[in-house]
């Protein structure tokens, strides 16, 4: 097979999984069908054998049975379920999460593990100067700063002071092998960082070597203070002038030209307040040694600026390159990174080598910045010098080490909070990247992905050597997967699924498509992603931001909750209509308490209007503080079933009870039978629909009390639907002709409205009492979410069998192309 053919085969051979909601809707429909048929038969038998009005009348009994059946069929349920999905899709799209299939929204709510790329998703995809190390101090740079001030740099000698924990006992060569300065680059790719380190021979006593060579706590500034703009310009001028890069407009990426690593120094200088163009004009270039991967440095010779304090008759040579090579060419070091011959001292090679090891262990790219003075007559303007100009000097070592630039692609600030929120919701976050192990671990620590429980990273080559059983165990103890291939991504997905996890997988490349298709929720990148990846996914991130995934997970949970709330509103309304017909026959009412046209109105208008409120409910407080929904959990669990039964009984009892009161009340004894029937239906109709409002108000919050102003806040549709239904009820009740001729009812007096209000209060109070009892049980540790109740979990949902880890034929060929992230 060709590479494209292999990918096509893998994508097409991966089974698309049917979501829980689709299964549960099918299950609810089956139960409703059985209930409706049962009620229809019971109504027919009651009417034919028991009712005084229909006794022995076959056609009349069938007619009243069909009225019961029509009453219980939830005609508007399908529309409301679709509306719930589509509204969630609209909300998510407004937050840059584009869902390609409506049912996939619900899958997000049950996700237990999010597997994410690193670059651009968890990180900013902008190489940034994070720290600058001098002979006696460390400066932390605020990579998220928007203001152009020197205060972005702060002296913090504790920042990245020691090696990363995982590298404490490693040699320099071992640190180099796992870090971003490795000359081999990322797996399967040429290194994008051209100033890689060839070797790193550290001492046996790294702590002693890390001791600063010139321990002056106050030079050039004290701990916690920011240096001056002049000092920053002097320290970073090598990175600015010894560069062919062009910074983007306003320090951004638009219009920038050059290597991302080198641009990071220009960007940090720009935001520290330096005028880069002015500096280049003040220090015109005289000659240069162009960069070459053979010697991994570049050198430019400049006319000195007044602030450089250069001796008369001298030019300044700036050399920027691989730090290990720079140290070997240095005879001096700049005390505190400051300019001037008075601040030059003998170089401490062991110190600088250990600093390179420390920074590398934290996953940082390292660049060495050096300078030296040379005679003006030693070079001519426009000379294109060779490497010997730096490495073949007669005097041997001659450069002055100014400092080390520590560079990385920093995490997105919003992702830290998003991952914390995901952890609070019981969702694991795993990072899968093609980058080096130490870089991935460092980013994982910053993001909170790496912790005491998931403290170690694993590499793609290590995964390749594992058996299926070993990789299944590995994915439960590792959150960081470095130097991974697309084949590794598929195995990780399958291993997680084999362990009963619901996985979300991100990807952007063509070779990510099979893993996206295999995951329960494939998420493609909108900015950097390929069309193939988008086609294989269920959701697209328009902003390529991990925080958007966590937001989508939250909305997925909202969808599940809202579907349950829709069932809680619609099902009692429909059930009570049918039961009212049956119960009316049992108590020997003169006719059905509600007519067929009233039933159709309540189904299509009232139930849909009130159900719409719960379909678009915002997230309840605490929705992201509970674990993900159990796989196979049924939409209607014990307590929702109980609430539906309570709502049904309350509405049915109030409808039939108010009908009995009206038909037996002495105040209407003088009316004709027809007038009494019309009034009975008027009060029953209004009790049903106004009682449904009480159900809706209570159903808006699954656990939180509705006896609170929040019942009328947070969702404008709540008040809107109440107003619409109220106005329609009044029109249908009092407009002449419409009430009597169409809806078979008459206007209502104060007594009848009293029955309506009393029914509303009864329904609302009883349902809130049930909710309060449930809150109390939950506070005592009771299983009110049916997490431990097998009966309310789909028994058909079983963990994948022994073939769960079987790779599709041809998947190994995906190693021809590796991850870009």
């Amino acid at each position: 097979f060709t590479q494209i053919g292999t990918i096509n085969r893998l994508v097409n051979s991966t089974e698309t999984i049917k979501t829980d909601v689709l299964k549960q809707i099918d299950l609810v429909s089956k139960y409703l069908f059985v209930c409706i048929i049962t009620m229809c038969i019971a109504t027919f038998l009651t009417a034919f054998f028991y009712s005084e009005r229909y006794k022995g009348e076959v056609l009349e009994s069938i007619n009243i049975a069909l009225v019961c059946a029509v009453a219980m069929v939830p005609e508007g349920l399908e529309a409301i379920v679709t509306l719930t999905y589509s509204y969630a899709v609209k909300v998510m799209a407004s937050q840059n999460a584009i869902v390609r299939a409506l049912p996939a929204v619900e899958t997000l709510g049950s996700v237990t593990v999010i597997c994410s790329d690193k670059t651009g998703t968890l990180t900013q995809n902008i190489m940034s100067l994070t720290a600058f190390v001098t002979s006696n101090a460390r400066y932390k740079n605020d990579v998220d700063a928007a203001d152009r001030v020197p205060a972005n740099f702060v002296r913090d000698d504790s920042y990245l002071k020691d090696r990363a924990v995982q590298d404490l006992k490693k040699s320099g060569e071992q640190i180099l092998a796992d870090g971003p300065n490795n000359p081999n680059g990322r797996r399967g790719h040429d290194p994008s960082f051209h100033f890689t380190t060839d070797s790193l021979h550290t001492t046996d006593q790294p702590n002693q070597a890390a001791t600063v060579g010139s321990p002056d706590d106050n030079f050039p500034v004290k701990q916690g203070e920011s240096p001056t703009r002049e000092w920053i310009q002097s320290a970073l001028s090598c990175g600015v002038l010894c560069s062919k890069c062009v910074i983007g407009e306003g320090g951004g990426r638009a219009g920038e030209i050059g290597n991302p690593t080198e641009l990071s120094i220009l960007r940090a200088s720009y935001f520290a307040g330096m005028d880069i163009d002015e500096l280049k004009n003040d220090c015109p270039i005289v000659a240069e040694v162009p960069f070459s991967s053979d010697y991994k440095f570049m050198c430019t010779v400049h006319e000195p600026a007044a602030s450089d304090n250069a001796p008369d008759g001298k030019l300044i040579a700036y050399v920027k390159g691989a730090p290990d090579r720079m140290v070997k060419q240095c005879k001096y070091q700049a005390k505190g990174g400051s300019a001037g011959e008075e601040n030059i001292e003998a170089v401490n090679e062991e110190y600088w080598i250990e600093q390179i090891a420390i920074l590398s262990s934290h996953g940082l790219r390292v660049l060495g910045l050096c300078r030296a003075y040379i005679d003006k007559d030693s070079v001519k303007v426009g000379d294109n010098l060779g490497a010997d100009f730096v490495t073949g000097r007669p005097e041997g070592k001659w450069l002055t080490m100014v400092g080390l630039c520590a560079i990385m692609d920093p995490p997105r600030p919003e992702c830290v909070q998003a991952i914390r929120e995901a952890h609070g919701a019981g969702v694991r976050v795993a990072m899968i990247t093609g980058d080096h192990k130490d870089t991935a671990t460092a980013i994982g620590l910053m993001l909170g992905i790496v912790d005491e429980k998931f403290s170690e990273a694993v590499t793609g080559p290590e995964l390749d050597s594992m058996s299926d059983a070993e990789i299944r165990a590995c994915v439960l103890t590792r959150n960081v997967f470095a130097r991974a291939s697309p084949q590794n991504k598929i195995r990780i997905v399958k291993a997680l699924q084999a362990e009963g996890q619901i996985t979300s997988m991100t990807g952007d490349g063509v070779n990510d498509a099979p893993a996206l298709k295999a995951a329960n929720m494939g998420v493609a990148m909108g900015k950097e992603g390929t069309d193939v990846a988008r086609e294989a996914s269920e959701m697209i991130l328009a902003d390529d931001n991990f925080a958007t995934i966590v937001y989508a997970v939250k909305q997925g949970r909202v969808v599940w909750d809202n579907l349950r709330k829709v069932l809680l509103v619609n099902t009692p309304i429909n059930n009570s209509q049918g039961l009212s017909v049956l119960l009316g026959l049992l108590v020997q009412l003169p006719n059905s308490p509600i007519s067929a046209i009233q039933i159709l109105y309540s189904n299509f208008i009232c139930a849909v209007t009130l159900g719409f409120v719960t379909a678009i409910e915002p997230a309840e407080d605490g929705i992201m503080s509970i674990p993900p929904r159990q796989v196979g959990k049924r939409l209607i669990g014990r307590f929702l079933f109980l609430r539906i039964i309570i709502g049904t009984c309350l509405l049915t009892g109030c409808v039939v009870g108010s009908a009995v009161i009206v038909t037996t009340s002495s105040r209407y004894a003088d009316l004709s039978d027809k007038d009494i029937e019309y009034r009975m239906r008027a009060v029953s109709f209004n009790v049903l629909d106004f009682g449904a409002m009480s159900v809706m108000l209570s159903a808006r919050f699954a656990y939180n009390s509705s006896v609170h102003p929040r019942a009328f806040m947070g969702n404008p549709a709540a008040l809107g639907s109440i107003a619409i239904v109220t106005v329609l009820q009044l029109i249908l009740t009092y407009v002449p002709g419409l009430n009597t001729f169409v809806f078979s009812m008459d206007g209502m007096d104060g007594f009848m409205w009293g029955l309506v209000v009393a029914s509303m209060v009864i329904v609302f109070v009883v349902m809130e009492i049930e909710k309060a009892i449930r809150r109390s049980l939950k506070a005592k540790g009771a299983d009110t979410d049916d997490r431990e109740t097998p009966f309310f979990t789909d028994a058909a949902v079983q963990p994948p069998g022994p073939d769960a880890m079987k790779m599709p034929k041809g998947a190994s060929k995906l190693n021809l192309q590796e991850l870009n992230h």
Side-chain angles (χ1 to χ4, degrees), residues 772-799:
I773 295 172
R774 190 153 40 90
R775 283 199 304 272
S776 176
L777 291 174
K778 185 176 182 179
K780 294 178 181 179
D783 178 26
T784 60
D785 294 317
D786 297 324
R787 295 185 175 278
E788 303 172 3
T789 311
F791 179 77
F792 288 93
T793 302
D794 189 353
V797 178
Q798 299 292 338

Side-chain angles (χ1 to χ4, degrees), residues 58-279:
V58 177
L59 292 179
E60 292 293 333
S61 297
I62 292 176
N63 181 64
I64 198 68
L66 290 176
V67 169
C68 177
V70 171
M72 295 190 68
V73 174
E75 291 92 346
L77 182 61
E78 183 178 355
I80 296 239
V81 169
T82 303
L83 175 64
T84 305
Y85 277 130
S86 58
Y87 182 78
V89 168
K90 174 182 176 293
V91 171
M92 291 166 65
S94 69
Q95 298 296 321
N96 297 311
I98 302 170
V99 177
R100 300 181 64 247
L102 288 182
V105 178
E106 173 271 332
T107 305
L108 283 163
S110 58
V111 164
T112 58
V113 182
I114 302 174
C115 299
S116 175
D117 287 330
K118 177 180 72 70
T119 305
T121 307
L122 291 169
T123 63
Q124 299 178 23
N125 199 19
I126 302 175
M127 298 305 296
S128 301
L129 177 65
T130 312
F132 186 71
V133 178
T134 66
S135 66
N136 73 330
R138 321 176 85 78
Y139 295 89
K140 184 178 181 180
N141 179 37
D142 183 1
V143 297
D144 299 314
D147 297 328
R148 297 185 59 199
V149 292
N152 294 335
F153 280 87
V154 176
R155 180 171 178 176
D156 184 356
D157 292 343
S158 64
Y159 184 58
L160 305 177
K161 175 177 175 289
D162 302 310
R163 293 186 186 184
V165 175
Q166 72 273 11
D167 289 341
L168 284 176
K169 297 182 180 179
K170 289 184 180 180
S171 66
E173 293 299 320
Q174 290 173 320
I175 293 174
L176 181 63
D178 289 333
N181 300 292
N182 188 331
N184 294 325
R186 294 178 300 181
R187 186 180 179 192
H189 290 271
D190 294 330
S192 59
F193 180 43
H194 304 306
F195 301 95
T196 54
T197 304
D198 295 322
S199 61
L200 202 58
H201 299 292
T202 54
T203 67
D204 296 331
Q205 297 179 323
N207 291 335
Q208 182 177 344
T211 304
V212 297
S214 50
D216 188 340
D217 292 337
N218 299 323
F219 184 80
V221 294
K222 296 179 182 179
Q223 172 79 0
E225 293 183 351
S226 297
T228 63
R229 187 184 67 81
E230 290 73 22
W231 182 90
I232 296 174
Q233 178 169 309
S234 173
L236 298 182
S237 56
C238 174
V240 174
L241 296 174
C242 189
S243 174
K244 298 292 185 181
C245 298
V246 177
I247 193 171
E249 182 180 352
R253 298 190 63 183
E256 67 180 18
I257 301 173
N259 182 273
T261 306
E262 296 181 70
L263 280 165
S264 67
I265 303 176
L266 271 70
R267 191 176 296 110
S269 302
Y270 174 84
F271 280 104
M274 287 176 55
D275 190 325
I276 294 175
D277 292 334
E278 181 181 333
L279 178 62

Side-chain angles (χ1 to χ4, degrees), residues 257-551:
I257 301 173
N259 182 273
T261 306
E262 296 181 70
L263 280 165
S264 67
I265 303 176
L266 271 70
R267 191 176 296 110
S269 302
Y270 174 84
F271 280 104
M274 287 176 55
D275 190 325
I276 294 175
D277 292 334
E278 181 181 333
L279 178 62
K280 290 185 176 182
N281 291 332
D282 291 344
C283 303
I285 187 169
V286 176
E288 67 175 314
V289 179
F291 173 82
S292 171
S293 57
D294 293 333
Y295 45 81
K296 297 184 181 179
F297 62 79
M298 66 180 297
C299 171
T300 54
V301 180
H302 297 263
E303 292 282 354
S307 59
D308 291 324
N309 298 321
D312 294 337
K314 297 288 186 177
L315 299 175
I316 295 184
Y318 290 112
V319 187
K320 175 182 69 181
D324 60 323
R325 299 201 180 201
M326 293 297 94
V327 171
K328 292 175 183 177
Q329 299 299 322
C330 287
K331 184 177 182 179
Y332 310 102
Q333 63 187 25
K335 182 181 178 182
S338 298
E341 290 188 310
E342 69 277 9
N343 292 317
I344 291 178
E345 59 189 9
V347 70
N348 182 347
E349 288 192 16
E350 288 186 355
Y351 167 79
W352 292 108
I353 291 297
E354 181 58 28
Q355 296 308 312
I356 298 169
I358 290 172
L359 297 175
S360 296
S361 73
H362 289 282
L364 297 163
R365 295 181 178 183
V366 185
L367 266 177
L369 303 184
C370 304
R371 64 175 172 233
Y373 300 117
I374 62 172
D375 294 332
K376 281 190 175 182
D377 56 5
S378 62
V379 296
K380 297 179 181 178
V381 176
D383 277 355
N384 196 4
L385 307 172
D388 288 344
F389 177 79
V390 175
T391 59
R393 306 287 294 188
E395 64 269 35
K397 297 182 179 181
W398 66 295
L399 295 176
T400 298
M401 175 62 74
V402 178
L404 298 176
C405 294
I407 300 163
M408 71 181 306
D409 178 11
R412 291 177 181 260
E414 64 272 23
C415 286
V416 178
Q417 175 58 33
I419 290 172
R420 188 180 298 116
E421 185 177 8
H423 288 167
V427 179
R428 267 182 63 197
V429 179
M431 180 171 66
I432 306 177
T433 176
D435 220 329
H436 296 87
K437 189 175 182 179
D438 281 351
T439 302
T441 303
I443 294 294
L445 281 167
M446 294 178 189
L447 290 167
I449 294 174
V450 175
D451 52 25
E452 292 183 1
K453 184 177 180 181
F454 303 96
S455 60
E456 297 182 7
V458 64
T459 65
E462 290 171 340
L463 291 175
D464 293 336
S465 64
M466 292 183 185
S467 65
D468 288 347
E470 289 172 333
I471 197 171
R472 286 178 64 169
C474 177
V475 297
L476 296 180
T477 58
R478 304 290 196 281
N479 273 348
V480 175
F481 303 88
R483 297 177 64 79
S485 68
Q487 181 193 17
N488 295 143
K489 292 186 88 168
I490 301 177
R491 293 193 73 196
I492 291 168
V493 167
K494 287 185 170 292
L496 288 168
Q497 290 174 337
E499 294 297 326
Q501 302 294 314
I502 304 298
T503 60
S504 172
M505 175 68 73
T506 69
D508 57 7
V510 173
N511 279 347
D512 290 331
L516 294 176
K517 196 76 173 179
N520 301 87
M521 188 72 190
V523 181
M525 302 297 110
K527 287 183 177 179
E528 305 292 340
T530 61
D531 289 340
V532 175
R534 295 189 192 105
E535 286 297 321
S537 66
E538 284 78 31
M539 187 173 79
I540 300 170
L541 300 182
D543 58 356
D544 293 4
N545 193 338
F546 174 84
T548 304
I549 303 177
V550 177
Y551 178 83

Side-chain angles (χ1 to χ4, degrees), residues 499-747:
E499 294 297 326
Q501 302 294 314
I502 304 298
T503 60
S504 172
M505 175 68 73
T506 69
D508 57 7
V510 173
N511 279 347
D512 290 331
L516 294 176
K517 196 76 173 179
N520 301 87
M521 188 72 190
V523 181
M525 302 297 110
K527 287 183 177 179
E528 305 292 340
T530 61
D531 289 340
V532 175
R534 295 189 192 105
E535 286 297 321
S537 66
E538 284 78 31
M539 187 173 79
I540 300 170
L541 300 182
D543 58 356
D544 293 4
N545 193 338
F546 174 84
T548 304
I549 303 177
V550 177
Y551 178 83
V553 168
K554 182 178 180 179
Q555 288 303 313
R557 295 186 174 195
V558 171
V559 165
W560 176 267
D561 280 0
N562 287 354
L563 285 173
R564 287 164 57 87
K565 292 173 184 177
V566 165
L567 288 173
L568 178 55
V569 172
N570 281 53
T571 310
I573 294 175
N574 294 118
N575 290 347
S576 62
Q577 292 168 8
L579 285 173
S580 295
V581 174
L582 176 59
L583 189 58
L585 294 174
L586 291 174
V587 298
Q588 298 292 352
L589 286 175
N591 205 339
S592 170
I594 45 180
S595 65
I597 189 65
Q598 287 175 328
I599 288 172
L600 289 175
Y601 167 84
S602 294
N603 275 349
F604 282 107
I605 306 300
C606 180
V608 172
T609 303
L610 297 177
F612 173 77
V613 176
T614 52
I616 63 172
E617 272 294 308
E620 283 193 57
D621 293 339
I623 196 170
M624 290 297 281
S625 61
I626 57 176
R629 188 182 71 256
Q630 186 178 1
V631 178
K633 180 179 177 180
R634 294 181 179 177
L635 265 174
I636 302 179
R638 288 180 301 166
F639 287 93
L640 180 60
F641 183 71
L642 174 63
R643 296 205 80 199
I644 290 174
I645 294 297
I646 292 174
T648 299
C649 292
L650 287 171
L651 283 178
T652 303
C654 288
V655 168
V656 176
S658 61
V660 169
I661 290 174
V662 169
T663 55
T664 59
S665 175
S666 59
R667 68 175 58 231
Y668 304 118
D670 296 337
L671 299 178
S672 66
D673 291 343
K674 184 176 181 181
D675 288 338
I676 292 176
E677 179 181 318
Y678 275 20
R679 295 205 170 205
M680 174 194 72
R681 284 184 168 171
V683 72
S684 299
F685 179 54
N686 280 285
V687 164
L688 174 66
D689 289 351
F690 279 100
M693 291 184 194
S694 295
V695 175
M696 180 272 291
L697 289 173
S698 179
R700 283 194 60 199
F701 306 100
Y703 281 98
N704 297 324
S705 174
S706 294
V707 186
H708 191 278
R710 72 167 70 93
F712 301 97
M713 300 166 62
N715 187 352
L719 290 177
S721 65
I722 291 174
I724 291 172
V725 172
T726 300
V727 170
L728 289 175
Q729 290 295 128
L730 293 175
I731 291 174
L732 298 181
T733 303
Y734 289 107
V735 172
L738 182 62
N739 54 3
T740 55
F741 182 73
V742 178
F743 283 87
S744 303
M745 62 180 181
D746 207 345

